Amino acid sequence: MRPDFALLPKPIASRLAKLGLKRPFDLVLHLPLRYEDETHLFRIVDAPLGAPVLVEGQVLHAEVTFKPRRQLVARVADDSGELNVRLINFYPNQQQQLAAGRRVRLLGEIRRGFFGDEMVHPKVRSVGNGAALAEALTPVYPTVNGLAQPALRRLIEQALDSCELSDTLPPALLHDLGLMAFGPAVRLLHHPTPDIAQRDLSERTHVAWLRLKFDELLAQQLSMRLAYRRRRDQTAPVLRPAGALAARLVAGLPFGLTGAQTKVLAEIRRDLASPHPMQRLLQGDVGAGKTIVAALAALDAIEAGYQVALMAPTEILAEQHYKKLSAWLAPLGVAVEWVAGSLGKKQKEAAIGRVERGEARLAIGTHALFQDAVAFERLGLAIVDEQHRFGVHQRLALRQKAGGTAAEGGEAADAAAPNRVEPHMLMMSATPIPRTLAMSFYADLDVSVIDELPPGRTPIKTRLVNDARREEMIEFVRKVCSEGRQCYWVCPLIEESEALQLQTAIDTHAQLGEALPEYRVGLVHGRLKPAEKAEIMAAFARNELQALVATTVIEVGVDVPNATLMVIEHAERMGLAQLHQLRGRVGRGALESSCVLLYSAPLGDLAKQRLKVIFETTDGFLIAREDLRIRGPGEILGARQSGVPMLRFADLERDAALLERARDVAAELLERAPQVVDAHLERWLAGREELLKT
Ligand code: ADP
Ligand code: MG
């Protein structure tokens, strides 16, 4: 009988839902955590110590004792020997099972106890003489309180019996890939026979595991590529200007574009000139020079008669973009508008009005810009900076907002509706992510990479300094300031308490202020209002503040070339990506810069590994790869916010080869076998439509 979720008792259904199980097929894919071997009976004398074993015997004696605490103690014998059994927490039915004279099977580890060999808390089952042994290993499933293994097992059993487990993939393909058929693979994983090495199961290297991992990766690739195609089928304005505005901007720059910048700009231009919406991610390490590329793309769109939106994750960053871009674009006669969340009501309305009437050609703001009711007169290009801050779902929401304002009718039409004119989308990210992760996370985007830093940068010197030498560091700050340079001093991330984090920042600010009376020391933290933060950042940028104590709010994008020293307190608590981003705040000009990582000894292993990596390299991609190795993908992308159909079975590092194959197979199936695509996605993603909408 198929477990009909609608008919299940509410409490059961809600516990299943907690496990993410919402339809019978989810049960099929709910794989065991581990297995118990009840296929083999040991004689008590032969049973190895310290590993789970199954023994069977007669209860000789049982009693509840109270010393040293309440417990049920029994003695069980088979024809080879005897064993003590001890249950500290027990139910009346266990007491009945273990009554003198009963026959029981016990599954547990035997330990050499003070009073002879004993099993503590074995699984106890009553048996008549000669009851059959299990033929397969007994699965132990991940579960939640209130849903016992036997009940969950029964439900999964029913699902395995009733769900369609035939293959979604053609036999020839499976043969080529050397993969097992689907039905036998899942059955095997639920009920492996005892001859299969436990290790192949726990390490997920068994061929049955490979099949599940491949299917999962394939489903992910297919859904993301389909999302890509669906958007690709929409209409976008063809932006093919002569490029006069862009050429004028380039001519006025104090620097020439790097080869990498020129290359990615050409890729973007090719997209803009096509009648389908661009969906491109521009990746480039911190300081690689993404902003100028975005500005040039914006000028193309503007010259073609369209408006451009530029969104940044924070107000500080948005303001900085506003300043930089107005300095570049205003001389060319392009009206740039800053739609800041912190503007007064009247000013904001005025700004929005200029956007709506089309007087503003480039509108810059936080993504609130799009969440509020800003309707562009004619939006041709939407640029999202630091997009890694946004998850896939947010990415989608932004796109829909952007789209909703671009339609000729202006109505918030369904994203899939035909004849809609979508804006082109350019997303920028400074988080270099390893190739495997990119293949997975960004499979719905085209990716351009700026893989070269502008010339003339002096490499940043990184130093690891024990926090005990804090005084020396303060002297170092004085020295840097005395040379006319500026410093960041970043306070530790205190995850447990924002209040505590704020307090340390306030204390450090006071300490630095006292130690450096000849300089002005600022303080910026997450509790300030956006306008206050922006004001402090602006003062720092104008060199009215020589040192800036900050919680990690400065992590993103801020550009003050005169700042040449970054001190990071309790660097051992920070992640690699974050350290890399922070360090990238200095070394932005030709001046020699340094980054001091203050740590408190003793360091844990993980912290040591991280600091070693950050000390040894400034290559963002290398750092990202190490980060993936140390933390795993969920952590890097922030599993909660990434919104990516997170992989349950496959591991991006270990299964990189499978991922590559899945990607190739996905492309081929989309081309040649749409019915296979449908069947595969139906199996893997039905009921999870939210994952398909990316
Ligand atoms: P990011 O990619 O981190 O956003 P930015 O766009 O802020 O980097 O650029 C960092 C700095 O490098 C800026 O001051 C920018 O003006 C400068 N820059 C960008 N491109 C070049 C180049 N080709 N040559 C020299 N400096 C450049
Ligand atoms: Mg930037």
Side-chain angles (χ1 to χ4, degrees):
M1 192 192 58
R2 193 180 172 99
D4 183 338
F5 275 58
L7 296 181
L8 285 174
K10 269 232 172 83
I12 300 288
S14 79
R15 281 166 203 148
L16 289 174
K18 265 194 204 153
L19 290 165
L21 309 176
K22 296 188 189 127
R23 51 172 194 150
F25 204 81
D26 293 339
L27 287 163
V28 169
L29 296 180
H30 193 62
L31 295 179
L33 271 178
R34 58 187 176 84
Y35 306 89
E36 285 171 348
D37 190 349
E38 294 178 82
T39 65
H40 178 78
L41 212 49
F42 281 93
R43 296 169 72 219
I44 289 176
V45 282
D46 298 337
L49 298 176
V53 288
L54 186 68
V55 297
E56 179 178 318
Q58 188 112 29
V59 181
L60 299 179
H61 165 88
E63 67 175 323
V64 176
T65 65
F66 292 89
K67 276 185 193 148
R69 55 187 293 188
R70 183 171 180 269
Q71 51 188 332
L72 174 59
V73 181
R75 191 145 177 93
V76 174
D78 68 3
D79 52 17
S80 76
E82 296 184 8
L83 190 65
N84 291 324
V85 174
R86 208 146 53 89
L87 295 175
I88 290 157
N89 296 303
F90 54 90
Y91 297 102
N93 75 322
Q94 287 171 312
Q95 221 171 328
Q96 283 164 17
Q97 286 175 318
L98 281 170
R102 302 289 295 267
R103 263 197 100 65
V104 285
R105 256 179 213 163
L106 304 169
L107 179 72
E109 284 184 19
I110 300 180
R111 276 187 245 152
R112 191 127 287 167
F114 195 63
F115 300 106
D117 290 353
E118 70 167 3
M119 256 189 195
V120 180
H121 273 264
K123 202 163 103 181
V124 182
R125 187 182 303 179
S126 310
V127 281
N129 244 331
L133 286 167
E135 281 174 12
L137 302 182
T138 313
V140 179
Y141 294 105
T143 190
V144 290
N145 265 342
L147 183 60
Q149 287 293 330
L152 183 54
R153 259 180 222 140
R154 253 192 320 276
L155 288 167
I156 291 175
E157 243 7 81
Q158 290 168 3
L160 282 170
D161 286 342
S162 59
C163 287
E164 181 56 62
L165 302 184
S166 63
D167 231 287
T168 50
L169 305 180
L173 177 64
L174 293 178
H175 182 262
D176 284 353
L177 295 166
L179 288 173
M180 204 174 157
F182 179 78
V186 268
R187 284 186 199 285
L188 183 148
L189 293 176
H190 284 285
H191 298 294
T193 48
D195 57 301
I196 295 174
Q198 289 261 5
R199 207 157 163 251
D200 291 346
L201 297 171
S202 61
E203 306 255 299
R204 303 186 172 185
T205 48
H206 190 275
V207 281
W209 265 116
L210 296 188
R211 173 60 205 264
L212 269 100
K213 294 199 255 190
F214 180 81
D215 273 23
E216 177 181 49
L217 290 165
L218 181 63
Q220 189 203 41
Q221 291 292 311
L222 286 172
S223 73
M224 292 185 86
R225 289 315 289 175
L226 269 178
Y228 174 87
R229 287 189 167 198
R230 268 198 299 275
R231 292 193 307 263
R232 179 91 212 153
D233 288 344
Q234 319 253 319
T235 306
V238 174
L239 308 177
R240 203 179 335 202
L245 283 176
R248 277 170 61 198
L249 175 54
V250 171
L253 287 175
F255 53 79
L257 297 183
T258 62
Q261 284 170 321
T262 309
K263 175 195 72 181
V264 300
L265 185 61
E267 287 164 356
I268 292 166
R269 284 183 157 155
R270 209 160 34 237
D271 286 354
L272 293 178
S274 116
H276 302 291
M278 166 164 78
Q279 346 180 25
R280 189 168 286 279
L281 176 74
L282 177 56
Q283 260 198 304
D285 210 344
V286 279
K290 295 181 289 294
T291 320
I292 184 66
V293 174
L296 293 169
L299 283 178
D300 275 4
I302 290 164
E303 186 176 326
Y306 284 82
Q307 286 171 295
V308 177
L310 171 59
M311 288 163 274
T314 65
E315 199 76 33
I316 293 179
L317 196 56
E319 189 192 10
Q320 206 167 68
H321 277 321
Y322 171 67
K323 288 194 171 141
K324 188 163 223 168
L325 287 157
S326 16
W328 279 338
L329 271 52
L332 306 175
V334 173
V336 183
E337 190 72 48
W338 186 30
V339 188
S342 56
L343 286 178
K345 192 162 175 284
K346 269 219 176 110
Q347 285 170 298
K348 198 143 113 193
E349 274 171 13
I352 290 173
R354 286 190 288 275
V355 175
E356 292 183 349
R357 290 190 301 275
E359 292 159 24
R361 304 313 295 166
L362 170 61
I364 299 177
T366 62
H367 53 283
L369 170 65
F370 284 85
Q371 267 140 24
D372 294 349
V374 182
F376 284 80
E377 188 227 7
R378 214 165 173 236
L379 184 64
L381 169 65
I383 303 172
V384 182
D385 194 18
E386 306 293 347
Q387 90 86 36
H388 59 282
R389 284 291 197 95
F390 306 100
V392 171
H393 293 303
Q394 275 169 299
R395 186 151 99 208
L396 173 72
L398 292 175
R399 180 152 44 212
Q400 278 172 344
K401 278 287 181 208
T405 57
E408 305 295 48
E411 282 289 85
D414 174 18
N419 335 321
R420 242 171 79 99
V421 180
E422 295 274 339
H424 295 281
M425 292 283 294
L426 178 64
M427 283 151 276
M428 306 198 284
S429 172
T431 305
I433 65 175
R435 215 173 72 87
T436 50
L437 198 50
M439 270 168 59
S440 179
F441 190 56
Y442 295 134
D444 64 333
L445 297 172
D446 295 313
V447 179
S448 293
V449 182
I450 304 185
D451 50 8
E452 171 189 6
L453 288 181
R457 299 268 163 91
T458 315
I460 303 168
K461 278 207 184 115
T462 301
R463 298 165 56 187
L464 287 170
V465 176
N466 192 317
D467 190 49
R469 291 168 53 198
R470 200 184 163 84
E471 298 289 326
E472 274 174 59
M473 281 311 109
I474 295 177
E475 280 317 302
F476 189 37
V477 172
R478 187 196 312 281
K479 177 166 174 288
V480 169
C481 291
S482 73
E483 288 161 1
R485 306 294 163 219
Q486 292 164 270
C487 305
Y488 294 103
W489 188 296
V490 175
C491 284
L493 190 67
I494 299 172
E495 269 164 9
E496 311 84 61
S497 159
E498 202 196 328
L500 200 58
Q501 174 167 350
L502 180 59
Q503 193 51 50
T504 46
I506 291 171
D507 293 347
T508 306
H509 176 239
Q511 189 190 12
L512 280 183
E514 211 166 289
L516 308 169
E518 66 274 42
Y519 299 109
R520 292 199 54 198
V521 182
L523 172 64
V524 62
H525 55 77
R527 287 277 181 85
L528 295 176
K529 293 204 185 83
E532 295 170 324
K533 278 192 246 178
E535 185 38 49
I536 295 167
M537 288 308 303
F540 186 65
R542 290 192 297 264
N543 199 0
E544 289 163 17
L545 299 169
Q546 286 73 49
L548 184 65
V549 175
T551 55
T552 44
V553 294
I554 56 152
E555 182 189 341
V556 153
V558 179
D559 196 17
V560 181
N562 193 47
T564 59
L565 172 62
M566 164 72 62
V567 180
I568 304 175
E569 272 196 66
H570 281 294
E572 78 277 4
R573 293 188 197 165
M574 297 200 191
L576 270 178
Q578 199 176 21
L579 287 171
H580 178 65
Q581 291 281 324
L582 282 171
R583 181 169 57 185
R585 298 301 111 220
V586 294
R588 298 179 81 80
L591 302 165
E592 176 155 309
S593 298
S594 42
C595 175
V596 175
L597 305 172
L598 283 177
Y599 66 88
S600 305
L603 288 174
D605 278 348
L606 264 183
K608 250 185 222 156
Q609 279 187 50
R610 279 201 298 259
L611 292 180
K612 182 170 184 298
V613 172
I614 210 81
F615 178 69
E616 285 175 354
T617 180
T618 51
D619 178 337
F621 282 92
L622 204 69
I623 290 171
R625 214 164 54 228
E626 287 301 307
D627 205 18
L628 179 63
R629 196 177 57 74
I630 298 174
R631 287 198 299 163
E635 288 287 313
I636 293 187
L637 298 170
R640 243 175 326 107
Q641 64 110 36
S642 71
V644 122
M646 264 332 223
L647 298 166
R648 278 180 290 171
F649 303 139
D651 173 300
L652 289 178
E653 267 302 75
R654 294 178 51 184
D655 300 317
L658 271 184
L659 173 59
E660 304 223 6
R661 259 179 277 166
R663 183 193 51 182
D664 297 345
V665 169
E668 191 152 324
L669 291 176
L670 283 167
E671 208 56 53
R672 306 230 175 102
Q675 68 300 347
V676 174
V677 172
D678 290 348
H680 194 75
L681 287 178
E682 164 68 25
R683 164 164 293 169
W684 280 83
L685 296 179
R688 303 168 151 234
E689 277 75 16
E690 76 277 7
L691 301 182
L692 285 170
K693 278 197 245 151
T694 56

